[in-house]
Amino acid sequence: MEKTSLLSKWKQLNDSHNEKWSTILLFLLSSSFALTDWMFGIFTFTEYVFLFIGGCLVISAHYQIKLNQLKWILLIIGVILVNILINELNNEPFVLKVGLAGLIKVTFYLMVNVGLYNYVMNYGLEEKLLKMMNSVAVVVGIIGIYITIALYSDGLLPYEFFWTYTRTDVLSYSFNAIENLVRTRSVFSEPSYLGYYLTIIIGMNLFNKRYIAIPTWMTLFLTLTVILTFSYSSIAVLVFIYLMHFISLDKIKEFRWVKTYWLYVGVFATVLFVSKDIIYQTIIKRTIDIINGKDFSALFRIVKSWDYVNKDHLFMGNGIGHTPSIWNIYAYILSDLGLIAFILVCLFSLYLVLTNYKMGILFIVLNFQKGGYLSSAFWIYLLLLLIYVKATKKTRVNLK
């Protein structure tokens, strides 16, 4: 009884300061999403931050895991354990250390994600989290634009400290090695990775079922930053997002032209005219090259990624962590973990589409833009999806 009483008192103490706890934890989560490409040793900054977040949830008595969630966790871990065991016995190229490292990583992200999900849902922090995510993303965008200006200034402005823990080479920000055309990548290692990060947040802003209102200027600024990446895949996903958002029969019927729309049309036309040479190089010419078969990036994302699937080990795959880096997550999982894991991911994708078709379709599209189901960015995306994909009514704990 005494232990229960002490635990209860400790939880009450932390609940009384939960406003502070929530601000700290949500800021750390939002910041960690922007630091997925920063490496210190063999781990990303995100992994260090997630370890700290998990510790904070436990220490503050806010960590919770429910029985049905535990069942799903055990199912996923069980699939990976069976995969490791069968590959260790029947697949000679399989490296046990790599498999165990993958298992530890998946287990780690599952446990922290469950704790964060329950914390956000129990205390009704969905709006606070999304606004925090957007605020951090705006800062990331400002840093990216600053670095772009600094690169154009030919060394007059310092920027190297932003890239201390990631890439610094010219190819990481120049367009096809054209040094006078700088692509914005901010604190990420590649422009397309920045685009992936921003399109996820834009998708959450526009498609969440929590009816959370994010200031329009924030979404527009993030949109502009995606365009400045000159990432063909990111801009294509961005256009796709806005097509899903605006084009519907109801919205077409309700549309009314107002005078202020001329201002938007004028600004858009001006941007197109001023940037016509850049648009030609980065979008039009790239599209022509893809159609003519000179640019194989789209082909590799959609088709060639499946070449890594080993037909001799189709059922259990090559083993977790044993496929070279490829863009297509579906092909990645089939190649690494085999048919069972692949079917589970397809069923999850179907669940998302049936629950919130816009978020579900965006999830499928983004899984062809950036690979790495073991990457921290993918697991944070999954966490955000589960929080915002539907409008579930839950009993909340009041913040004190």
Side-chain angles (χ1 to χ4, degrees):
M1 290 295 293
E2 185 181 351
K3 288 184 179 178
T4 305
S5 177
L6 286 173
L7 180 61
S8 178
K9 287 180 179 179
W10 178 249
K11 194 173 188 312
Q12 288 176 6
L13 176 64
N14 282 291
D15 280 344
S16 66
H17 296 284
N18 198 52
E19 184 67 35
K20 296 175 183 175
W21 271 117
S22 65
T23 301
I24 293 169
L25 292 175
L26 298 186
F27 174 75
L28 287 173
L29 173 59
S30 302
S31 300
S32 70
F33 197 13
L35 300 177
T36 53
D37 287 351
W38 283 24
M39 298 291 298
F40 186 78
I42 61 172
F43 299 107
T44 64
F45 272 56
T46 305
E47 287 161 339
Y48 291 114
V49 174
F50 257 51
L51 184 62
F52 183 73
I53 289 174
C56 287
L57 288 173
V58 172
I59 292 171
S60 63
H62 285 129
Y63 187 85
Q64 181 188 28
I65 182 168
K66 300 175 183 178
L67 181 60
N68 63 325
Q69 294 170 339
L70 184 60
K71 290 177 181 177
W72 281 108
I73 290 173
L74 291 176
L75 173 63
I76 295 170
I77 293 174
V79 169
I80 297 174
L81 278 172
V82 172
N83 174 275
I84 291 173
L85 179 61
I86 293 178
N87 275 289
E88 175 65 13
L89 295 174
N90 301 305
N91 186 4
E92 188 175 343
F94 179 76
V95 180
L96 182 59
K97 288 183 179 179
V98 175
L100 291 176
L103 173 64
I104 292 170
K105 181 173 278 195
V106 170
T107 304
F108 169 70
Y109 276 116
L110 280 172
M111 298 304 290
V112 178
N113 267 6
V114 167
L116 279 167
Y117 173 83
N118 288 328
Y119 178 68
V120 170
M121 300 300 285
N122 287 342
Y123 288 93
L125 299 170
E126 300 97 312
E127 183 173 353
K128 186 173 183 177
L129 172 60
L130 190 56
K131 288 182 176 179
M132 188 78 75
M133 282 282 179
N134 275 270
S135 298
V136 172
V138 168
V139 173
V140 169
I142 292 171
I143 291 172
I145 293 172
Y146 168 80
I147 293 174
T148 301
I149 294 171
L151 289 167
Y152 277 122
S153 73
D154 199 21
L156 292 177
L157 297 173
Y159 65 89
E160 295 86 351
F161 52 92
F162 287 115
W163 290 350
T164 302
Y165 298 100
T166 185
R167 292 174 63 184
T168 58
D169 56 290
V170 174
L171 287 176
S172 67
Y173 60 82
S174 62
F175 185 83
N176 290 340
I178 304 173
E179 293 189 33
N180 62 347
L181 182 53
V182 177
R183 304 170 66 195
T184 299
R185 69 178 179 92
S186 189
V187 294
F188 289 82
S189 61
E190 292 188 16
S192 64
Y193 294 174
L194 171 62
Y196 175 81
Y197 161 75
L198 293 176
T199 49
I200 286 175
I201 295 176
I202 292 170
M204 295 296 156
N205 290 351
L206 299 180
F207 303 148
N208 78 82
K209 284 198 171 182
R210 303 284 175 184
Y211 303 104
I212 300 169
I214 300 298
T216 303
W217 73 265
M218 280 189 164
T219 303
L220 290 177
F221 178 77
L222 300 185
T223 300
L224 172 63
T225 309
V226 173
I227 294 171
L228 291 176
T229 66
F230 301 128
S231 166
Y232 189 87
S233 60
S234 297
I235 294 173
V237 171
L238 182 70
V239 171
F240 186 72
I241 287 172
Y242 279 106
L243 286 175
M244 284 199 295
H245 180 60
F246 286 115
I247 297 181
S248 69
L249 185 60
D250 290 338
K251 289 189 176 181
I252 291 173
K253 289 179 178 178
E254 294 172 1
F255 180 79
R256 295 290 184 274
W257 185 270
V258 294
K259 292 181 180 180
T260 53
Y261 286 171
W262 287 112
L263 175 62
Y264 293 109
V265 171
V267 171
F268 182 69
T270 303
V271 170
L272 286 179
F273 178 76
V274 172
S275 309
K276 59 182 184 297
D277 292 335
I278 295 176
I279 291 171
Y280 174 77
Q281 286 291 332
T282 58
I283 298 177
I284 299 175
K285 188 175 183 297
R286 182 84 180 272
T287 303
I288 294 171
D289 288 343
I290 290 172
I291 294 172
N292 292 337
K294 295 180 181 179
D295 189 311
F296 299 102
S297 58
L299 181 66
F300 275 107
R301 279 187 170 90
I302 300 171
V303 180
K304 289 295 182 180
S305 294
W306 300 96
D307 291 348
Y308 290 93
V309 176
N310 189 339
K311 294 179 181 178
D312 296 330
H313 296 279
L314 184 61
F315 186 69
M316 273 293 132
N318 298 315
I320 185 170
H322 282 71
T323 300
S325 295
I326 54 178
W327 295 100
N328 184 339
I329 283 182
Y330 293 104
Y332 215 139
I333 289 176
L334 180 60
S335 177
D336 257 12
L337 297 175
L339 203 55
I340 296 175
F342 175 73
I343 291 172
L344 288 174
V345 173
C346 289
L347 289 174
F348 177 70
S349 302
L350 179 62
Y351 160 77
L352 292 175
V353 172
L354 294 176
T355 306
N356 182 334
Y357 78 93
K358 291 180 180 179
M359 273 199 181
I361 293 172
L362 179 60
F363 175 72
I364 294 170
V365 170
L366 285 173
N367 282 344
F368 285 87
Q369 186 200 351
K370 185 178 184 292
Y373 69 95
L374 290 174
S375 72
S376 48
F378 179 71
W379 286 92
I380 295 176
Y381 183 25
L382 287 179
L383 173 62
L384 295 176
L385 273 173
L386 292 174
I387 292 173
Y388 297 109
V389 72
K390 59 182 180 179
T392 305
K393 292 182 180 179
K394 288 186 174 286
T395 303
R396 309 295 195 184
V397 178
N398 290 327
L399 291 176
K400 297 179 180 179

